[in-house]
Every structure is written in C-alpha cells, then in structure tokens.
C-alpha cells in the first residue's frame, strides 16, 4: 500500500474484545510489529502508527481489548478514555466470528453514540469449520454497519476499508438494541474437544505442564543440551575475539577491547541463546492457547495464596523479564491481585539472573543444572510465600475466557522472538555497553587519570566502603560490592562484572551459595522497579526495594552462618518452642473437636449464613461464655455461626447470601 | 451451647434455597440463567462473556473441590471461580 498523500486525513481506531485479532490487523495495515498473542491482555497500552489505505494516509490506533465500556480493568479504562478523546475517529470494531452475539451490546453502544464505524469479522474459517453459518449482507442490514472480512487478503481488505472510510462520512444513530436474526447468524454449539478434556484434566494436565516446564529447563540449562551447547559456542567465539584483541599495541586500547568490551559485554551476550530459548517456550505456551488452560488448572492452587489463575501469565512472564511481567498485571481486574503479584514478582528468577546463577554454581560444581533448578524452585516458593502475606484479603475470583487451542503460527512466533531479541540488543547496546564502558574507565584509571591496576583505581576507592556489607558472607572485596550494586542497573551486569574483574566467581562454595541467596531476594533492576512504581506508586516501590535489599543481606548472612557451623546454635530452637508453655485459650482454639473448625476442615458449606459485621460474635474464646448463647435466633439480632468463613466471603460480595444445601453433582 | 449450634446447622440444611446455581449442575447439563446475584461490575463482566439473565449455558467441567468451573456460553468457553459460579442462578432445560 504505497501512498501519495502527505498528511494524515483520518484516524482509524481498532476496538474489540481481547484476543479478537486487533493487533494482527494493526500489523497488517501498518506493517508494524505490535506484540500479538493467543492470550487476553497482550496489548496493554494504545499503539499508534500511520498507514496508507489505498490513496488515503490514516493514523491507525490499536487499543487494548475491552469486554465492556464500563472499564473494570486499567486496560479497559485506557481504551475508553482514548475513544472519548477521539470522538471523530473512525471505529473499526474487530470481532471474532464466534463472539458476535456477545459483542452486540458494545456495537449498539457505539451506534447509539453515532460513531462512524465498520465491523470486521475475524477467524471466520474456524467459525465455519465448527459448523456455524452467517451472512455478511444480512448482518450489515441488521446492525446498520458495513461488515468487512479479514480473511480476504490485504489488498481486498484495504480496498473495502477505503470505501468504508469515504462512503460513510456520518452514520445515523441507532436507538434500539441490535438484534441478529437466525438467518443472518447461526453460531455452532459449544464443543468440548478431547484436547480440552486432556489439558484441563487435573492429573494429566498437571503432569503435562510440569513435564513441559521440566523439559524446557533441561533443554535450556542441562550440560550437553541445546542451551548449554549454544552458550559454549558463544563463549568460544568471544575467547577467540579476546585473543585477537591481545595483539593490539596500545595497552589502554588493548585493555578497553579485551577487558572492557569483550570480557564484560561478551560475558552477557554468551547467555543470549539460553534467554531466547526461555522466551521461545513462553511464546509457544501463549500462542497455542495452553496458557489459559493452565490458568484454569492452577486457579485452585493460587487461591490458597490469595491469587487467582489469571496471575499465572504474569508470573510465567516473570521468568522471562520482571519489567514486562509487571506491565501485564494491568490486565488483572482486581487491585489487590495486582498488588500481590507486583510485590511477589521480583522474587521469581528472571532470565537476567540466569547468567549469574550459572556462573556462581559453575564455580564449585561440575554440573550446575540441579543447583540452578533448585534456585528457580526456591524463587517460585518465595514468590508464593510473599503473595500469601501481602494483602491478606483474598483476590477476586477467576473470570476468564479460554483462548482457542491452535498450532502456533511460525511467523507470529518468529516475530515475537525477534521482538524480544531486539529489546535485548537495544538494552545491550545502550544500558549494558554504557555500564561496562563506565566500569572499565573507573577501574582502569586513578583520580589523577593515570592508567593503573584495578586495586588503585577510582572504583576501588568508591566501593571500598561498600565491601563491608559482604564481609559476613566471606566476600569482603570491593569488586563483589560493585558487582552486587551493578545488578540494580541490569542483573546481567553482575555476571559481566565478575568476568571483567575476576574472570569468574573467585570465592569458595559457601560464599557462592550465600551470594545466590542474596541474588534470589535482592530487588530487581531499575526498569522493573520503574514498571512496578508506575502501578503501585514510587514510594511503595522504593520501600519494597529497600526492604528487599535488607532481607536479601540478612538471609545471605544467615545462610552463610549456618553453613559455617552455626547450625548447632539454631536447630535446638524449634525444640525449645515446642516445649515452651502455651496459652490455655490458644489450646482451646486448636481443639480438634471445636465444631466450626471441624466443619471448616470437612469443607462443608451448609448453613453458611452471613451477618452484618456489627452483629459479629466475640472472637476471643474467653468472652464466649459471658452471657452469649451462640444461637442465631437470639433476641435483638443475629450472630455469625462461622466467623472466619463468613469474613472471607462477605468481604468479596458484601450482601446476604442465604444458606443453601450443597448438592454434589457431575 | 455447642450442641445447640450443631442443631442449628442441621436445621439450616432444610432452609429454602434461592435456586440452583452453576455449582449445582451436573457436567454436560444445559441450563438457562435466571439471575446473576453479583456486584454490578462483575455482573457486567459476566454479561460481556454471554452469561446473563435468559442466556443459555452448559457446564463443561468442574475442577476438584469445586474450586473452578468451565462453562460454555455464547459460543465461548469461560472459566469461573467458585464464588462467581455460585452467584449465577440457573434453571435446567
């Protein structure tokens, strides 16, 4: 679509449900590379780019998906605000063929507001294959909008869209609710395929996904496997480059190229193949539609820590990049769920920590794969532990549309991977390169700008004071302090810094393990802190970072202390706690015959009656015997029967729910 | 007092129900939604997914412990948490 126009004459806004195909259409119209995925919530902010439709130059805007114009999530609020501020824009409502019925209220609302619009139907072939039938002309007549097909090819679509832009300058408003007759649109019956049954089976699904994750970790980390072989190849290449740089005559330039650029930057680039393999797995999981099934499967587990299954996408993204994962939390409806996920995300080992963990464990282990696996498992446990303590009230329940199962399109997967590679190269060429250049300069010159050894340099003087923080873990060296704090810029810098100054981790195994505990708990990089701050506020994000740093140091000191023979001091403590005298009333609460606790353990929900909080019975068991009968029919008011169960449910839906008999079925 | 409370629980088993909800359906059963007793925002979200009064749904799967339900509605499959599923009252077809 080549243009002869010189100025933007119109604006086209892509609106529709999540996962309808808006971003795909955006890429087709503009030639852009907006992120696409088979998950609801890939586009989190408005994307805008110019495009030529026939002879018309337009600005195409891709909005995040909306289910409703009432704005439950941040994405929906962004989309609605954009639509309101661009009231003259042409709305291209993108709708999946199978979801047309539930999009009618949105279409009706736009027509009621008198918006210029056209309807684009996507995924038509899938709809027809499933047994559905539709008539585009009849739909257009019933809804009063022009209906375009996205399956006709780029040129056909472009011509139809240009005609729609020019032939429909202003449409009359529609006062009635749009209705589709059966002759115009006949959807197929819902199909529950065998694949759905397998992936959603609690046993098969759990085994399948755990095996998938284990296989990916094995491919990426295990010696002799794809990830390890690619990394070894990259390391060999950079070693050769370093040997070539040794032939440079000038000592300053030789040190810059060999020690600064090749050793520092190369130390990070060597891990690029493994990082890309991890992202490849995440993209496949998302594109195939398995991510939404995983969300439904894990909802029960996440509910125990106060989250819901929707958080699984953000948490899995956290294994790739914490900053990107923080942005995806905009798709979570509930503010409490968002805060829980944001506070717990930094503890998930991201791909940037991968080079550091491999370097640490390789320093004392021949095969670091099991240790790395334990590191990732420990990170996931800490993440869930933190999530269970942040925001004690439970998250909103799960409401999620399952994306259709499909074989990932190779072009989309390749484009997504290319996008991640581009992001990494940009980060490498800017932040990481600038950091290592600055590191080399500060570590190669003293205050009188004389070329000197690292121990006499400016950096050694500045970091000399910080090394005291790492003395308790046997790493009292200014280079370790500098490496640890360089991780705040980008976690990859830690590995590169050790490679630059020491050629690896130079301390003993106990120090390496203690440093890995520090790495697990320390705050994320500045990009992730910024993304988190945008969501929860700068003050909270900084406070969380400071607390995280203190906790990381304290935990690393404790681990080192235990490994250095301090265990004999700590192990008797649980025994002392068991033998210590306990509160008599605490014992009553733990009495296993206490009726509410017995019912709660058996999971009975019969007779769960909610009462206003003001009529709540006393929580302290010592007060229960004082003039209270415990009866719900007590004069003057009603009392709670099971206070702890009622509190949880009544918080979510603060109105009365009558007791009902739970009948088992299905 | 403990005995009296236990009797009250037994009596509550016979309390009049509001009606069946999604959690009471058998797998594969088709039903019509009679009411959605949830806060307005959740009602709107359910309506956007095709679960609204008068709409036809079908229970596809109940996960262990009744924690999550998979429901077919308006041509798509929707995963609902237990609390939301219990707020959707239905009548079998």
């Amino acid at each position: 679509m080549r243009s002869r126009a010189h100025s933007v004459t119109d604006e086209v806004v892509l609106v529709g449900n999540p996962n309808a195909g808006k971003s795909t259409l955006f890429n087709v119209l503009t030639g852009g590379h907006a992120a696409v995925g088979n998950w609801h919530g890939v586009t989190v902010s408005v994307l805008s780019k110019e495009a030529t439709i026939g002879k018309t130059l337009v600005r195409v805007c891709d909005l995040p998906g909306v289910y409703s114009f009432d704005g439950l999530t941040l994405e929906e609020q962004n989309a609605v605000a954009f639509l309101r501020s661009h009231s003259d824009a042409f709305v291209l409502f993108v709708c999946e063929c199978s979801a047309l019925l539930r999009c009618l209220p949105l279409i009706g609302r736009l027509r009621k507001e008198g918006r210029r619009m056209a309807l684009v139907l996507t995924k038509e072939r899938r709809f027809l294959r499933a047994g559905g039938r539709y008539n585009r002309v009849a739909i257009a007549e019933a809804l009063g909008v022009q209906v375009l097909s996205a399956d006709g090819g780029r040129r056909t679509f472009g011509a139809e869209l240009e005609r729609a832009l020019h032939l429909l300058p202003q449409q009359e408003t529609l006062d009635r609710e749009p209705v589709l007759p059966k002759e115009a649109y006949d959807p197929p019956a819902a199909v529950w395929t065998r694949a759905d049954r397998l992936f959603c089976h609690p046993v098969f699904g759990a085994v399948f996904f755990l095996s998938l994750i284990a296989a990916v970790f094995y491919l990426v980390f295990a010696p002799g496997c794809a990830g390890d072989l690619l990394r070894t190849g990259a390391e060999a290449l950079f070693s050769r480059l370093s040997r070539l740089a040794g032939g440079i005559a000038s000592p300053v330039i030789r040190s810059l190229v060999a020690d600064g650029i090749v050793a520092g930057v190369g130390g990070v680039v060597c891990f690029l193949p493994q990082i890309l393999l991890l992202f490849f797995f995440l993209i496949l999981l998302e594109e195939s539609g398995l991510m939404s099934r995983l969300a439904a499967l894990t909802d029960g587990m996440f509910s125990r820590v106060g989250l819901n299954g929707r958080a699984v996408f953000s948490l899995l993204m956290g294994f790739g990049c914490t900053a990107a994962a923080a942005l995806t939390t905009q798709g979570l409806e509930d503010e409490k769920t968002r805060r829980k996920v944001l506070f717990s995300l930094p503890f998930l080992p991201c791909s940037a920590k991968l080079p550091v963990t491999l370097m640490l464990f390789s320093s004392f282990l021949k095969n670091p794969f099991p240790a790395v696996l334990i590191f990732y498992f420990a990170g996931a446990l800490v993440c869930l532990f933190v999530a269970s303590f942040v925001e004690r009230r439970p998250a909103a329940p799960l409401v999620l549309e399952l994306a259709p199962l499909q074989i990932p399109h190779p072009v989309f997967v390749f484009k997504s991977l290319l996008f991640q590679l581009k992001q990494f190269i940009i980060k490498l060429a800017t932040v990481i390169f600038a950091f290592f250049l600055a590191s080399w300069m500060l570590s190669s010159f003293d205050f009188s700008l004389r070329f000197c050894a690292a121990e006499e340099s400016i950096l050694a003087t500045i970091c000399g004071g910080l090394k005291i923080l790492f003395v308790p873990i046997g790493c009292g060296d200014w280079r370790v302090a500098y490496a640890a704090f360089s991780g705040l810029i980008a976690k990859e810098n830690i590995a590169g810094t050790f490679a630059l100054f020491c050629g690896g981790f130079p301390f003993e195994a106990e120090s390496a393990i203690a440093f890995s505990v520090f790495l697990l708990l320390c705050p994320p990089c500045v990009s992730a802190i910024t993304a988190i701050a945008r969501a929860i506020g700068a003050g909270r994000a900084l406070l969380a970072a400071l607390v995280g740093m203190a906790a990381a140091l304290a935990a690393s000191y404790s681990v080192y202390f235990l490994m250095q023979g301090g265990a004999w001091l700590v192990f008797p403590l649980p025994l002392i706690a068991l033998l210590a005298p306990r509160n008599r009333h605490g014992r009553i609460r733990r009495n296993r015959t206490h009726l509410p606790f017995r019912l709660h353990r058996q999971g009975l929900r019969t007779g769960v009656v909610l009462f206003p909080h003001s009529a709540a019975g006393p929580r302290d068991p010592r007060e229960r015997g004082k003039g209270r009968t415990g009866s719900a029919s007590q004069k003057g008011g009603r009392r709670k029967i099971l206070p702890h169960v009622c509190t949880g449910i009544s918080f979510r839906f603060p109105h009365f729910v009558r007791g009902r008999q739970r009948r088992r079925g299905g | 007092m403990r005995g009296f409370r236990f009797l009250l629980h037994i009596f509550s088993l016979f309390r009049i129900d509001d009606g069946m909800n999604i959690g009471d359906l058998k797998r594969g059963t088709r039903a019509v939604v009679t009411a959605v007793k949830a806060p307005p925002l959740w009602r709107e979200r359910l309506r956007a997914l095709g679960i609204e009064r008068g709409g036809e749904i079908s229970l596809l799967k109940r996960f262990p412990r009744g924690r999550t339900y998979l429901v077919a509605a308006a041509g798509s499959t929707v995963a609902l948490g237990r609390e939301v599923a219990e707020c959707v009252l239905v009548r079998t077809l």
Side-chain angles (χ1 to χ4, degrees):
Chain A
M1 293 176 185
R2 301 233 174 245
S3 163
R4 292 188 206 114
H6 297 291
S7 60
V8 172
T9 55
D10 211 338
E11 196 170 41
V12 175
V13 179
L14 302 176
V15 177
N17 282 172
N19 205 30
K22 299 181 297 304
S23 297
T24 309
L25 194 58
F26 176 84
N27 290 341
V28 165
L29 288 174
T30 63
H33 300 287
V36 293
N38 195 16
W39 171 260
H40 305 90
V42 176
T43 306
V44 294
S45 57
V46 179
L47 297 171
S48 175
K49 198 172 177 184
E50 286 178 9
T52 309
I53 313 290
K55 294 176 190 169
T56 317
L57 184 65
V58 300
R59 177 173 299 284
V60 183
C61 304
D62 179 20
L63 265 53
V66 295
Y67 282 116
S68 156
F69 286 133
D70 292 321
L72 192 60
T73 64
L74 267 180
E75 296 166 341
E76 285 175 341
Q77 288 164 19
N78 288 343
V80 169
F82 187 89
L83 266 179
R84 281 204 191 112
S85 61
H86 293 73
S87 50
D88 292 333
F90 184 87
V91 174
L92 207 53
F93 195 93
V94 183
C95 177
E96 244 185 273
C97 225
S98 55
L100 184 57
L101 281 177
R102 69 162 192 245
C103 290
L104 290 181
L106 291 175
I107 295 170
R109 179 93 164 252
L110 289 169
R111 293 279 287 115
K112 213 179 241 184
E113 291 172 8
R115 300 293 298 238
R116 298 159 55 219
M117 66 177 289
L119 174 65
V120 181
L121 293 176
T122 60
K123 302 179 191 177
E124 290 166 286
R125 285 190 213 123
R126 184 186 293 164
F127 178 77
L128 293 170
R129 263 202 309 268
R133 287 176 296 124
Y134 73 101
N135 184 320
R136 266 205 290 158
V137 172
I139 292 173
E141 212 176 285
L143 300 181
V145 295
Q146 191 156 356
V147 178
L148 313 178
S149 169
D151 283 355
R154 201 165 148 182
R155 281 203 186 170
T156 318
F157 182 78
E160 284 183 355
L161 181 57
E162 191 182 17
R163 228 175 302 132
L165 279 171
H166 291 306
L167 291 180
L168 298 170
Q170 192 69 37
Q171 289 173 209
E172 66 277 8
T173 59
L174 184 76
D175 292 325
R176 57 177 171 83
E177 197 68 32
V179 172
L180 280 179
K182 211 155 175 82
E183 308 81 53
Y185 181 80
D186 186 17
V191 176
W192 185 235
T193 62
R194 199 179 295 174
D196 278 325
R197 243 179 261 133
L198 277 175
F199 291 126
C200 293
H201 192 275
V203 174
F204 179 85
V207 168
F208 172 77
F209 285 111
L210 282 173
S211 309
L212 192 64
I213 291 168
V216 167
F217 274 90
Y218 186 79
L219 267 173
V220 173
F221 300 127
C225 286
D228 185 58
L229 289 174
L230 289 167
R231 181 173 62 89
T232 313
E235 279 174 354
L237 176 67
F238 278 95
S239 299
R240 190 166 167 77
L241 284 173
S242 187
R243 277 198 300 274
L244 285 172
I248 298 173
S250 162
V252 176
I253 298 180
R254 185 171 60 238
S255 172
L256 170 64
V257 175
D259 300 333
I261 297 172
V262 175
V265 176
V268 172
V269 173
C270 287
F271 293 96
L272 180 59
Q274 286 169 307
I275 292 170
L276 284 181
L277 272 176
L278 262 179
F279 272 112
F280 178 66
F281 155 70
L282 285 173
I283 292 163
L284 278 185
L285 201 64
E286 185 194 317
E287 279 291 315
S288 60
L290 288 175
M291 187 75 80
S292 45
R293 275 128 191 101
L294 184 61
L297 206 58
T298 52
D299 181 53
M301 182 187 79
F302 281 127
S303 66
R304 289 173 191 273
V305 294
L307 293 172
N308 63 40
R310 270 197 100 103
V312 77
F313 179 64
S314 301
L315 293 176
L316 277 181
M317 279 296 288
F319 282 110
C321 175
T322 308
L327 290 174
T328 62
T329 59
Q330 289 182 21
L332 298 172
E333 295 101 350
D334 185 38
E335 193 57 37
K336 287 174 190 53
T337 315
R338 279 187 73 213
R339 272 204 289 268
K340 273 175 166 301
V341 173
L342 285 168
F343 277 117
S344 55
L345 264 178
F347 300 103
L348 277 175
C350 65
S351 58
K353 289 185 184 176
L354 167 60
V356 193
T357 48
L358 279 173
M359 179 204 62
L360 286 172
F361 295 125
S362 303
S363 68
F364 64 94
L365 290 172
K366 263 192 180 169
N367 177 13
F369 169 60
V372 172
L373 208 58
I374 291 170
F375 181 84
Y376 271 74
F377 185 68
L381 279 180
V382 171
C383 171
L384 292 176
F385 181 78
V386 169
S388 67
F389 276 95
V390 169
E391 292 285 349
R392 297 301 295 268
R393 287 169 174 170
L398 177 71
V399 178
L400 174 71
E401 183 186 358
L402 263 55
L405 280 177
Q406 63 186 24
I407 295 172
H409 201 287
V411 171
F412 290 143
V413 173
F414 178 72
K415 275 190 168 175
S416 301
L417 213 54
L418 211 61
F419 176 77
Q420 296 298 339
L421 177 65
K422 190 177 107 179
Q423 295 294 104
F424 183 84
I425 290 174
I426 289 171
K427 192 178 174 186
L428 188 76
T430 52
V431 174
I432 296 179
F433 183 78
F435 173 79
F436 281 114
L437 197 61
S439 298
W440 174 81
M441 282 175 61
L442 291 172
S443 63
S444 302
F445 295 91
D446 58 16
F447 284 100
S448 53
L449 297 179
R450 186 178 57 94
F451 190 63
C452 63
E455 287 72 19
E456 297 161 20
S457 64
I458 300 169
L459 195 60
T461 314
I462 294 171
C463 293
L466 290 173
K467 74 179 182 186
I468 199 169
L469 290 173
F470 296 91
V471 165
I473 63 169
C475 306
D477 190 320
W478 67 268
R479 290 170 293 185
V480 175
Y482 180 61
F485 287 97
S486 70
L488 286 174
I489 310 293
K491 285 285 176 277
E492 298 95 332
N493 289 344
I494 302 178
T497 307
F498 276 118
L500 171 67
F501 291 128
C502 321
F505 191 75
F507 301 96
E508 52 190 32
E510 288 88 351
S511 299
I513 293 171
F515 195 85
S516 68
V517 171
F518 170 80
L519 183 70
L520 184 69
L521 302 176
C522 70
C525 61
V526 167
S527 329
I529 294 176
T530 311
I532 292 170
R534 230 179 284 156
I536 61 172
R540 272 183 179 159
L542 280 173
L543 181 65
L546 286 170
V547 169
M549 182 63 88
L553 288 169
S556 61
Y557 298 163
S558 310
V559 166
Y560 189 77
F561 172 71
L562 287 173
M563 284 190 296
Q564 289 291 312
W568 67 273
L569 278 175
V570 172
F571 282 151
L573 288 177
L575 194 63
I576 296 167
L578 274 171
L579 295 173
R582 290 186 229 161
N583 185 340
R584 185 175 73 88
H585 296 289
R587 203 164 42 237
I588 288 171
R589 258 188 244 115
R590 280 192 295 277
N591 188 344
R592 289 186 181 272
T593 61
H594 191 49
L595 178 63
F597 284 95
R598 206 168 64 233
L599 290 175
H600 178 67
R601 272 203 309 282
Q602 289 167 7
L604 287 176
R605 285 179 291 117
T606 55
V608 171
V609 181
L610 303 179
F611 299 104
H613 287 284
S614 55
R619 288 183 176 273
D620 192 339
R622 282 172 288 192
E623 296 297 319
R624 281 190 190 153
K626 295 179 184 175
R628 297 269 190 169
T629 61
S631 162
S633 57
Q634 186 183 1
K635 57 178 185 293
R638 290 172 288 179
R639 292 188 58 208
K640 285 187 181 178
I641 301 294
L642 299 174
H644 55 287
V645 176
C646 293
T647 303
I649 296 174
S650 67
F651 171 73
R652 281 193 284 275
F653 298 126
H655 57 271
F656 289 110
V657 174
R658 289 197 212 150
R660 66 181 72 84
Q661 183 177 1
R662 179 172 167 228
R663 293 191 290 274
R664 291 194 178 271
Chain B
M1 289 307 114
R2 198 184 286 173
F4 188 85
R5 234 188 259 174
F6 179 71
L7 279 172
L8 200 63
H9 276 290
I10 298 297
F11 286 133
S12 68
L13 293 177
F14 300 97
R15 195 170 302 202
I16 296 170
D17 286 343
D18 272 339
M20 255 177 134
N21 58 60
I22 288 179
D24 300 322
L25 291 175
K26 288 192 180 200
R27 194 175 60 190
T29 313
R30 284 170 53 227
V32 169
V33 177
T34 54
V36 179
K37 294 198 167 180
L41 281 177
W42 285 107
R43 243 195 334 261
E44 187 58 35
R45 173 52 53 89
L46 289 170
R47 193 182 62 77
L49 292 172
I51 300 173
E52 57 179 335
R53 193 176 169 181
E56 195 179 305
I57 62 164
S58 154
L59 180 66
L60 297 174
K61 181 170 181 65
R62 178 208 311 273
F63 282 88
R65 299 186 183 223
R67 181 61 228 170
T68 316
Y69 297 85
L70 290 183
V71 164
S76 56
T77 308
V78 182
L80 299 176
R82 180 174 62 200
E83 293 81 6
V84 178
E86 288 176 351
C87 290
V88 180
L89 303 181
V90 297
R91 176 176 45 85
T92 52
L93 286 174

